[in-house]
Amino acid sequence: MTRPASQHRLSLATSLLALAMLPMAQAAMAKARNYQLDPVHTRIAFQVSHAGFSRPVGSFSGTSGTLQFDEADWSGAKLDVRIPLRTLDLGDANWQQKILDRTFFDADKHPEARFVSTKVEPTGAKTANVTGDFTLRGVTHPVTLQVTLNALARHPLTFRKTAGFSATGTLSRKQFGMDAWKSVVGDEVTLIIETEATRDNDADEGAGDADQK
């Protein structure tokens, strides 16, 4: 049975519209790029009260992970980070070993911590709240980080597309099974994060990145 001419024209118009929109849809999907965290330029630091006298700073290095990110649409960002606990630096070998034993991090049994994002809520042009599942000592709880994008551009030395972020957050150590020495070590832990991530593959860069070179 032959279709009426009006239906044929409608079908043709719909097909042409779909074809016209395909490049735009593909471009939108292509904006989210894959990055690798740079372990040399990533530092995870924390502060916790020492009997109320001070808030010493400890830090971890060698952090690795992946980031899927589109500067124009933070809501689709995905982050997966692994922190090797034995890179802990407290400025004193004996104190570090105590914090790494079963009293606190239990690093022999649980050698790494992990953060996997579950929700990203933009709060400004270059800021967002990033909530994720944080696993420490085999215990997982949600943690929210306040994240700022410092720069997204070609690095002046490596010429690789690089994203740089600063982030802060807090967590309760007792939620992760670290409730010893309550009179000496505070419960609230402040997180301070500085990180850089580099583009996985620059070969697929197009002219749209020219303004960021």
Side-chain angles (χ1 to χ4, degrees):
M1 182 176 180
T2 304
R3 291 185 298 175
S6 58
Q7 289 186 6
H8 180 75
R9 288 195 297 269
L10 179 60
S11 176
L12 179 60
T14 302
S15 299
L16 291 173
L17 179 61
L19 287 172
M21 294 180 66
L22 183 59
M24 292 185 289
Q26 291 175 332
M29 292 175 62
K31 286 182 180 179
R33 303 291 190 179
N34 294 321
Y35 295 79
Q36 292 285 336
L37 265 62
D38 179 354
V40 176
H41 296 99
T42 296
R43 200 79 170 183
I44 312 293
F46 64 90
Q47 282 186 291
V48 63
S49 173
H50 179 233
F53 293 106
S54 65
R55 290 176 55 81
V57 178
S59 66
F60 299 97
S61 57
T63 298
S64 62
T66 58
L67 169 67
Q68 186 175 339
F69 181 66
D70 172 13
E71 184 183 13
D73 183 12
W74 285 56
S75 61
K78 295 179 181 180
L79 179 64
D80 188 343
V81 179
R82 294 177 182 270
I83 307 166
L85 298 181
R86 287 206 167 276
T87 64
L88 174 66
D89 182 2
L90 286 169
D92 180 84
N94 292 331
W95 184 232
Q96 284 169 199
Q97 190 55 44
K98 183 59 183 176
I99 299 302
L100 288 171
D101 73 16
R102 289 181 297 173
T103 307
F104 292 96
F105 288 128
D106 198 5
D108 284 339
K109 187 176 181 180
H110 305 285
E112 71 175 17
R114 187 180 183 185
F115 180 87
V116 180
S117 64
T118 56
K119 181 172 63 174
V120 178
E121 300 174 293
T123 57
K126 293 184 178 295
T127 59
N129 290 332
V130 179
T131 300
D133 291 330
F134 183 61
T135 302
L136 180 65
R137 288 174 51 102
V139 180
T140 302
H141 284 285
V143 170
T144 298
L145 303 174
Q146 291 74 50
V147 179
T148 298
L149 173 63
N150 299 319
L152 176 58
R154 296 283 180 184
H155 193 284
L157 295 178
T158 66
F159 302 106
R160 296 188 65 185
K161 190 64 66 63
T162 301
F165 300 88
S166 298
T168 58
T170 59
L171 58 83
S172 164
R173 71 181 181 93
K174 68 182 180 183
Q175 280 192 320
F176 296 90
M178 294 184 289
D179 55 0
W181 297 8
K182 297 178 183 178
S183 62
V184 178
V185 182
D187 177 56
E188 183 178 274
V189 179
T190 300
L191 302 174
I192 307 164
I193 302 165
E194 294 292 329
T195 185
E196 294 180 18
T198 55
R199 182 73 57 80
D200 261 1
N201 183 7
D202 279 347
D204 61 350
E205 296 304 314
D209 286 323
D211 59 338
Q212 298 182 25
K213 292 182 180 179

